[in-house]
Amino acid sequence: MEYFDIMNSACSDVGLSMDNKIYEKFIDYKELIKFWNEKVNLTAIIDDEQIIKKHFIDCIKIFKFSPLKEAKSIIDVGTGAGFPGIPIKIVKPDVNMILLDSLNKRINFLNEVINKIDLKNITTIHGRAEDFSRKSEYREKCDAAVSRAVANLAVLSELCIPYVRVGGYFVAMKGPSVDDEIKEGKNAVSILGGKIEDIVKIEIENSDLNHNLVIIKKVKETPKVYPRKAGTAAKKPLK
Ligand code: SAM
């Protein structure tokens, strides 16, 4: 199958549509990843087909959780080379997207991508997640937070849940060890004002990837003492 067809079928699997304009943005993004990856460490995945499946399609499948389509503002915490934030923004151009990462080289790359593939209403933040969610302009302001491959659920919840407004969602993209992470992280989720609502299984056609979306609803405000000082969540995860 051509890349267009694989991506088109991933989009229709989650109830979204893809056209040539969207497809071209993905292809330009893929080329920028390959070009920049030679000087900045962005990803270990550099083969065209793998970039499309393991990055683009994996991220598009976040919309298996369909209420995310209603979110008007989303923050991607620890976005790295833009995953899942950029694919989300490409397939849902009307969303206000914030991409946050503590590595400035990756932020420079993302600014170039945003400029080259002409994305609007998307901002980048260079910094630690724990520092920005304390600021009133970011705290509990987003309809949703999303994150992939940044930390285990207990740690990640402290980085992400403070950004989400009450009634919104934190969607954590997780691998096969999701059950253990939930066992260890469920109390942290609750302390931070979240409630685990569902685990959605993700399949990527013609691959052996076994992924899960942990769906956390924000049910009450995050206590003011969280997040703790940058680095504390990772050193002493909430139990
Ligand atoms: N989400 C991307 C993906 O799935 O390809 C990147 C994953 S990469 C393994 C983890 C990223 O999280 C890195 O770019 C790192 O700089 C960022 N990161 C880790 N802890 C962070 C924190 N406390 N605040 C902001 N960014 C953080």
Side-chain angles (χ1 to χ4, degrees):
M1 249 205 286
E2 293 292 328
Y3 295 144
F4 182 93
D5 297 331
I6 314 179
M7 293 190 64
N8 194 24
S9 108
C11 282
S12 45
D13 180 48
V14 296
L16 293 172
S17 50
M18 203 187 64
D19 56 21
N20 275 326
K21 212 171 133 200
I22 288 177
Y23 179 67
E24 275 165 25
K25 288 195 194 292
F26 275 113
I27 296 305
D28 291 347
Y29 179 27
K30 172 170 72 60
E31 292 308 313
L32 285 165
I33 291 171
K34 285 164 54 180
F35 181 74
W36 273 65
N37 210 37
E38 296 191 0
K39 38 187 179 130
V40 177
N41 176 20
L42 294 174
T43 172
I45 299 168
I46 44 159
D47 169 71
D48 283 352
E49 187 172 337
Q50 298 301 316
I51 292 178
I52 286 178
K53 285 186 180 166
K54 295 190 175 167
H55 286 321
F56 298 170
I57 293 182
D58 188 38
C59 294
I60 289 170
K61 294 268 176 153
I62 198 168
F63 287 108
K64 268 274 171 197
F65 175 60
S66 55
L68 193 63
K69 291 179 195 154
E70 311 305 320
K72 295 194 167 43
S73 53
I74 300 181
I75 183 164
D76 178 8
V77 175
T79 186
F83 302 117
I86 298 249
I88 289 175
K89 178 68 191 170
I90 296 177
V91 294
K92 285 280 290 167
D94 49 338
V95 80
N96 281 303
M97 176 64 70
I98 301 173
L99 304 174
L100 183 145
D101 202 280
S102 53
L103 265 187
N104 202 32
K105 283 181 177 174
R106 293 185 177 151
I107 294 294
N108 291 339
F109 164 73
L110 293 169
N111 288 335
E112 170 98 352
V113 170
I114 289 166
N115 190 20
K116 285 260 166 73
I117 70 172
D118 196 24
L119 300 175
K120 306 281 185 231
N121 300 321
I122 178 165
T123 48
T124 55
I125 300 178
H126 169 223
R128 301 286 295 250
E130 301 94 310
D131 294 332
F132 282 83
S133 63
R134 295 194 153 274
K135 299 181 196 277
S136 61
E137 66 260 50
Y138 296 108
R139 191 169 183 91
E140 304 197 315
K141 290 291 186 297
C142 290
D143 293 334
V146 295
S147 192
R148 186 183 82 160
V150 174
N152 67 41
L153 193 64
V155 176
L156 195 59
S157 293
E158 193 166 341
L159 305 188
C160 295
I161 293 178
Y163 288 101
V164 181
R165 66 163 173 83
V166 174
Y169 287 97
F170 164 38
V171 181
M173 300 175 69
K174 287 288 164 194
S177 64
V178 68
D179 292 338
D180 291 341
E181 286 201 36
I182 286 175
K183 240 183 258 162
E184 278 165 32
K186 136 165 135 234
N187 202 37
V189 169
S190 156
I191 292 171
L192 293 155
K195 183 172 181 289
I196 299 174
E197 214 179 56
D198 201 3
I199 316 291
V200 178
K201 293 230 166 297
I202 296 298
E203 270 179 33
I204 295 171
E205 292 80 3
N206 304 313
S207 91
D208 51 4
L209 295 177
N210 173 8
H211 287 176
N212 300 277
L213 305 175
V214 182
I215 310 301
I216 294 168
K217 183 154 188 170
K218 180 97 172 228
V219 290
K220 53 181 195 306
E221 276 181 25
T222 301
K224 296 277 177 284
V225 288
Y226 301 113
R228 293 165 290 168
K229 203 160 82 55
T232 309
K235 270 188 230 128
K236 290 187 193 163
L238 289 172
K239 286 202 169 77

